[in-house]
Structures are given as structure tokens and as C-alpha cells.
Amino acid sequence: MIKVENLKKSFGDIQVLKGVDIEIQKGEVVAVIGPSGTGKSTLLRCMNYLETPDAGVISIGDLTVYAKSAAKNDIHELRKRTSMVFQSYNLFKNKTALQNITESLTAVKKIPREEADKIGMKILQQVGLEDKRDSYPSQLSGGQQQRIGIGRAMAVNPDIILFDEPTSALDPELVGEVLDVIKELAKKHMTMIIVTHEMGFAREAADRVIFMDGGYIVEQGRPEEIFEKPKNERTAKFLSKVS
Ligand code: ADP
Ligand code: MG
């Protein structure tokens, strides 16, 4: 359903993605792990063209985007079908929780306010923050802000949500509530890629774990395969350091 083929990206002289291939089925939850600086964020950012890849093909359903000849409309469509959740939430500070969630519905999709609010309230309920609809980001904890960030990503009804270390900026005691929201989405078969340092979460929530190092996918498999008997030496070495 989602296919990334031979994705390459350099910054200056440094090639960060050296040819990445991923296939993801509808409803699949894929965790991406690996050392810092190996291109995990770049991969996600290229997948929705926040960064323009140098080479490769990204397909989602009937949409195929070729890096070398990507049309503006196709990039626009790709962005509609993918949503990102960032480490640093990136909420609008002068908008309420509900407005943050409905912004893309009213401003981009031109859905009437009343209808957008209805969708927004349903999402607030799903992320457990119905009572915070009129709160501004500054009045919310980091965990609550990130749950709004996830709600915002859900609002556009994307084919896939790309999470880039969604809990790394949070105090330890706030990590659980955010992971719980993501686990709920997994139960509802939302298709997701989650870059994470939370190995316990990857093990529990992911259908598949991808280990990236040096701009490549080094190894992938079911969580128990990767965590219990990694085949690659680099995977084993990384896991021995983090777990
Ligand atoms: P990861 O998410 O795995 O930690 P990143 O994808 O963020 O890795 O970064 C991979 C490499 O690319 C790093 O060396 C980083 O410094 C570099 N890089 C990422 N984004 C940019 C950019 N916009 N400009 C220049 N270098 C970048
Ligand atoms: Mg990163």
C-alpha cells in the first residue's frame, strides 16, 4: 500500500540516505530504531517532501511520486496522505487545543467550522483531552500538547502517520500517556511509522521493527526477532547499548 524505493538524500557532500526501500501494508505499525544521525528523521521528512529526496520513488495507493520529476500537485497530494508528528509538537501557540486540531480542516480542506469542530471534538475524545478544548498550548503539559499534536495529525484522515521521536522531548512521567494514545491508534489499525528510542514500546506496539544505520536499512523483522536474535552485528551492538 505504501512503498518507498531506492530513496536517496544528500546534504552537501554527505549522503544521508543511501538507497532506502520500505514496503508498508495498510494497518501496519512499523518502528524505526537506530543510532543518532543515521537518517531516520530525514527518511520521514523525505516521505512527505518536507525534504526533497534526490532520487527514489514514493507510492501511496494510486499515487506515485518520482523524485526526479515530482509534480507540484503530486507533492501536495502526498502531503495530504501523510501526516507528521514531531518531537517538538509545533502547535500554534495562539490557538486553542480544538483550533489546533481543526486548523487544517478549515484552512486547507475548507470544511465549515461547525462540521470541523464536530470532527475535532471526536478526536479530542480519542486523545483523552475533551475537557481541554479551549486551553492554549501554554496551559497544557508537554504530554497533553503532544496528544494534541497527534490529534492534529489524525484530523486530516491521512493514509499514514509518521512519528519522529514523539516522546523524546517529554519528561519521563509524561511519556506513557503519549505512547498510550499511539497504542490506541495501533489497535484501530492506523498505518504508522514511528521513529523511537522507546525499545519497550517498539517491542510491544510494532508489527515490524526496522534498524537503520549509516543511511541504510540494516535489518528488519518482527520485534521478537530483532530484539531477541538480531542477525546483524550492528543491530546487536546498538541494542546492547540501549536496552
Ligand atoms: P537521525 O534522525 O537518525 O538522528 P537525521 O536524519 O536527523 O538523523 O540526520 C542525518 C544526518 O543528516 C546528520 O548528520 C544531520 O546532521 C544531517 N542533516 C539532517 N538534516 C540536515 C539539513 N537540513 N541540512 C544539513 N544536514 C542535515
Ligand atoms: Mg531524528
Side-chain angles (χ1 to χ4, degrees):
M1 175 232 176
I2 294 170
K3 210 168 166 186
V4 173
E5 293 167 83
N6 196 30
L7 202 67
K8 293 182 179 169
K9 176 69 180 177
S10 296
F11 295 107
D13 292 340
I14 300 167
Q15 193 173 27
V16 173
L17 299 179
K18 297 175 180 167
V20 172
D21 298 285
I22 306 178
E23 248 179 79
I24 298 165
Q25 303 307 314
K26 196 169 169 15
E28 200 178 8
V29 178
V30 176
V32 178
I33 61 171
S36 263
T38 51
K40 304 180 300 296
S41 296
T42 304
L43 170 65
L44 295 193
R45 294 170 67 83
C46 283
M47 283 184 73
N48 81 341
Y49 269 72
L50 265 177
E51 299 282 0
T52 309
D54 301 325
V57 188
I58 298 167
S59 325
I60 299 188
D62 58 359
L63 173 74
T64 304
V65 183
Y66 297 87
K68 289 269 157 59
S69 57
K72 253 194 184 149
N73 280 344
D74 287 347
I75 293 174
H76 186 69
E77 185 59 32
L78 181 72
R79 288 196 180 130
K80 281 205 286 191
R81 295 185 189 195
T82 58
S83 279
M84 276 204 64
V85 174
F86 302 92
Q87 185 177 328
S88 52
Y89 344 126
N90 298 355
L91 299 180
F92 298 109
K93 290 192 170 49
N94 59 344
K95 290 187 193 297
T96 63
L98 181 63
Q99 287 166 345
N100 263 284
I101 289 174
T102 56
E103 169 69 17
S104 58
L105 299 176
T106 51
V108 183
K109 285 196 162 180
K110 310 290 178 204
I111 293 173
R113 162 68 52 201
E114 205 174 315
E115 195 187 326
D117 281 354
K118 242 186 230 165
I119 298 169
M121 281 311 294
K122 221 172 168 182
I123 289 173
L124 275 175
Q125 200 180 343
Q126 285 181 61
V127 300
L129 291 172
E130 267 171 300
D131 56 330
K132 300 292 183 191
R133 60 170 284 166
D134 297 320
S135 300
Y136 289 90
S138 63
Q139 300 168 313
L140 299 171
S141 73
Q144 291 170 335
Q145 290 184 59
Q146 188 58 301
R147 282 149 70 193
I148 298 296
I150 295 170
R152 186 181 50 181
M154 290 160 63
V156 292
N157 198 21
D159 289 336
I160 184 166
I161 303 182
L162 311 169
F163 293 83
D164 193 1
E165 298 193 16
T167 61
S168 308
L170 298 174
D171 290 334
E173 73 271 23
L174 303 177
V175 168
E177 65 187 70
V178 172
L179 296 182
D180 285 346
V181 168
I182 301 174
K183 280 183 209 161
E184 282 302 312
L185 283 176
K187 273 190 208 152
K188 289 180 187 135
H189 304 291
M190 181 73 221
T191 314
M192 302 187 274
I193 299 184
I194 307 159
V195 173
T196 185
H197 290 304
E198 299 286 339
M199 297 302 146
F201 168 75
R203 199 185 179 111
E204 191 186 334
D207 299 306
R208 178 155 46 114
V209 175
I210 289 178
F211 173 66
M212 261 184 91
D213 194 11
Y216 291 109
I217 290 177
V218 172
E219 181 169 358
Q220 58 180 308
R222 298 197 55 78
E224 56 273 22
E225 291 169 352
I226 298 292
F227 290 115
E228 278 157 37
K229 16 181 193 330
K231 292 190 183 76
N232 191 287
E233 206 176 298
R234 278 147 81 190
T235 317
K237 198 172 162 204
F238 172 75
L239 290 173
S240 74
K241 280 190 211 152
V242 294
S243 42

